Amino acid sequence: MSDPGGDPAARREEGAPGDRDQPEEHGQTDGAGRVRRRVLVGSALALALGGGGVALNRLRQDEGPLHPFGFTVATARPGAMDRFEADLDTVAGLGMGSVRIGAVAEHIVADWGVEGGRYTGAVGLSEEGMSALDRGLDLARDRDLAIYLMSVDAYAGEALPDADFDRLMHDYWTALAERFADRVSLWQIFNEADGSHYRTYEKVDAAVDAAYAADLARQVAAARDAIRAVRGDARVTMNLGGYPVDAALFARWETVLETLAPSLDVVTVDAYPDLSDEALSALVTELGDLRERHGKPVAIGEIGLPTCPTCYTDQQQSEAYGRYVAALGDAGLEGVYFYMLRDAEGTDPESSFGVADADGRAKPSLTRLEEIAG
C-alpha cells in the first residue's frame, strides 16, 4: 500500500495504527504525558448497531467460527459508557471470545507525581476514570468476553533519572494490577515499541539497536514482575509492528524476539497483509514458526484494512475480512484482534479501519462477519 500521507501525530490522536509504511512512527503520548495514540474515540455506533472468571489460558475455538477473534474497541471512559457497552454488545453478538481495551493514561492518571525533575513517590490516579474502566471490564466479563488490556503509556513529561522513571512505572503498573488484574486475560505493555521508543516515542529500530532492544525487554519484564506481584498468574505481551507483511518483516520479528521473547508470556505481532493471499499464507506459516521457535502462544494484536477513496473499497474490506477469518480461525492462535470496530473521526486512510463508519453505519465487512457467525 502506498504511503497514506498526512500527519502521523494527528493519526495517532484519532487512535489509528500509524503510518503502516513506517510502523516505527507509532507513539502513545506527547511530551507532557498526554495520550497521542488513543484507543477508539466514541461515535454514533450505538445508534446504528443497537442502541468477564479470570483469564482464559487460551481462547476456546469450539464456540463458533468467530470465537478466536476480537475487536479493539473504544475504551471505557466517563461520558462514553453507553457507546462502550454498545461496542461490547456488537463483539459478543458476533460470537467473538475477547475484546481489546485500553487503560488510557489520559483518562485514568490525574498526576504522574513528578516535581522538579524527580519522582515524588506517588502516581495520582483519577477515580472517575478508574471507576469507568472498572465498570467497563465488568461489562465485558458479563458478556463472557476475555479481556486483552492495553497499558501502552509511559511517562513522557519532563526528564527523569532512569531510576526515578523505573520506580514511577513500577508504581503505575502495580496500581493498575491492584485494580484490574482479576479480570484481565492478557496485558499489553507499550505499543509497537520495537519501532518507536517506549519512553520518548522517537523512531528506533529494535532489530538494529541491540542496546535499545535489551532495555525494552527489561522494561517489559519489569511490568510483568509488577503485575505478577499482585496476581501470580498474570500474562504479559507486547505487540510488534506489522507492515508490510513480507519476508523482511518476519526476519525483523525474529531478530527482536531473540531479546524480547523471554520477557513475554504471549508473542504478539500486528499484521496488515492487505489483499495479498500470498502475504496471508506466508503469515500463517510464520505464526506457526514463531510458536514452535519460542514455545509460547502467539496472537495477532491488530489486523485490518482501511476503506477510503484513496485506499480500498468497502467491498474489498469485506472480502479481505472473509479471507482473514478463513486463514486464521483455525491457526491455533491465542487471539486475533481486528483493528478496529468503527472508524475514527477523520478522512485519511488511517482513520478508516472500522467495520462501521464514524456515524455508526455498518459497512459490508460487518455484514460479512455476521454471515460468518451465522
Side-chain angles (χ1 to χ4, degrees), residues 43 62 85 152 237 342 350:
S43 71
D62 57 354
E85 191 163 3
V152 304
T237 192
R342 56 187 168 197
E350 300 301 334

Side-chain angles (χ1 to χ4, degrees), residues 20 61 63 145 158 200 261 263-264 308 342 344:
R20 295 183 300 126
Q61 300 191 27
E63 299 190 3
L145 293 171
E158 60 182 298
T200 67
S263 300
L264 306 176
C308 69
R342 56 187 168 197

Side-chain angles (χ1 to χ4, degrees), residues 201-243:
Y201 309 108
E202 297 175 350
K203 286 185 179 182
V204 67
D205 188 347
V208 174
D209 189 335
Y212 172 74
D215 184 42
L216 176 62
R218 182 182 67 84
Q219 288 293 334
V220 175
R224 182 170 66 174
D225 289 346
I227 295 167
R228 282 188 174 175
V230 176
R231 188 170 189 94
D233 61 353
R235 300 182 307 153
V236 166
T237 192
M238 193 204 85
N239 58 328
L240 302 182
Y243 189 83

Side-chain angles (χ1 to χ4, degrees), residues 18-362:
D19 184 341
R20 295 183 300 126
D21 282 339
Q22 299 182 35
E24 66 276 14
E25 292 189 3
H26 298 207
Q28 297 83 40
T29 64
D30 63 13
R34 295 185 297 268
V35 170
R36 300 294 294 179
R37 188 200 195 288
R38 300 178 182 172
V39 291
L40 311 181
V41 176
S43 71
L45 188 63
L47 297 177
L49 303 183
V54 240
L56 302 176
N57 290 328
R58 226 179 129 80
L59 298 184
R60 298 186 305 277
Q61 300 191 27
D62 57 354
E63 299 190 3
L66 293 183
H67 198 267
F69 296 85
F71 267 104
T72 301
V73 302
T75 191
R77 60 184 177 88
M81 295 304 295
D82 288 345
R83 289 173 294 197
F84 176 78
E85 191 163 3
D87 287 354
L88 295 182
D89 286 339
T90 300
V91 176
L94 289 168
M96 293 180 166
S98 60
V99 64
R100 189 171 179 249
I101 304 169
V104 183
E106 180 181 16
H107 305 310
I108 63 176
V109 176
D111 179 4
W112 282 106
V114 175
E115 294 181 4
R118 298 303 302 267
Y119 175 48
T120 63
V123 176
L125 299 176
S126 164
E127 184 54 36
E128 182 182 25
M130 293 287 282
S131 294
L133 187 53
D134 244 335
R135 175 63 178 152
L137 300 189
D138 285 343
L139 290 170
R141 283 185 57 184
D142 288 345
R143 290 157 175 79
D144 293 323
L145 293 171
I147 296 166
Y148 177 130
L149 188 67
M150 297 178 285
S151 177
V152 304
D153 300 296
Y155 172 75
E158 60 182 298
L160 281 179
D162 289 345
D164 282 30
F165 177 85
D166 290 349
R167 286 197 301 124
L168 184 158
M169 293 307 301
H170 174 273
D171 290 351
Y172 177 61
W173 287 317
T174 298
L176 295 186
E178 288 175 344
R179 192 70 171 256
F180 307 129
D182 62 327
R183 287 156 289 172
V184 176
S185 173
L186 184 61
W187 295 78
Q188 178 186 310
I189 306 301
F190 308 136
N191 181 69
E192 295 188 351
D194 56 315
S196 64
H197 197 288
Y198 68 86
R199 185 170 173 180
T200 67
Y201 309 108
E202 297 175 350
K203 286 185 179 182
V204 67
D205 188 347
V208 174
D209 189 335
Y212 172 74
D215 184 42
L216 176 62
R218 182 182 67 84
Q219 288 293 334
V220 175
R224 182 170 66 174
D225 289 346
I227 295 167
R228 282 188 174 175
V230 176
R231 188 170 189 94
D233 61 353
R235 300 182 307 153
V236 166
T237 192
M238 193 204 85
N239 58 328
L240 302 182
Y243 189 83
V245 175
D246 57 17
L249 177 68
F250 301 157
R252 188 176 186 281
W253 286 346
E254 292 295 353
T255 299
V256 174
L257 287 169
E258 287 177 5
T259 302
L260 183 62
S263 300
L264 306 176
D265 301 298
V266 176
V267 172
T268 300
V269 296
D270 296 347
Y272 290 91
D274 292 340
L275 298 177
S276 171
D277 287 333
E278 181 181 0
L280 184 59
S281 177
L283 173 64
V284 173
T285 299
E286 175 63 17
L287 295 171
D289 290 346
L290 289 174
R291 183 172 56 246
E292 182 176 352
R293 185 171 295 113
H294 298 287
K296 301 183 182 209
V298 174
I300 294 181
E302 296 178 7
I303 188 169
L305 191 77
T307 63
C308 69
T310 59
C311 52
Y312 299 102
T313 67
D314 286 355
Q315 188 59 38
Q316 285 175 314
Q317 184 192 55
S318 176
E319 293 170 357
Y321 274 41
R323 291 200 292 271
Y324 298 164
V325 170
L328 299 168
D330 61 355
L333 298 174
E334 173 77 9
V336 181
Y337 296 89
F338 289 117
Y339 191 90
M340 48 195 178
L341 183 59
R342 56 187 168 197
D343 289 347
E345 298 290 341
T347 59
D348 61 285
E350 300 301 334
S351 299
S352 60
F353 278 83
V355 296
D357 68 17
D359 293 322
R361 291 182 292 267

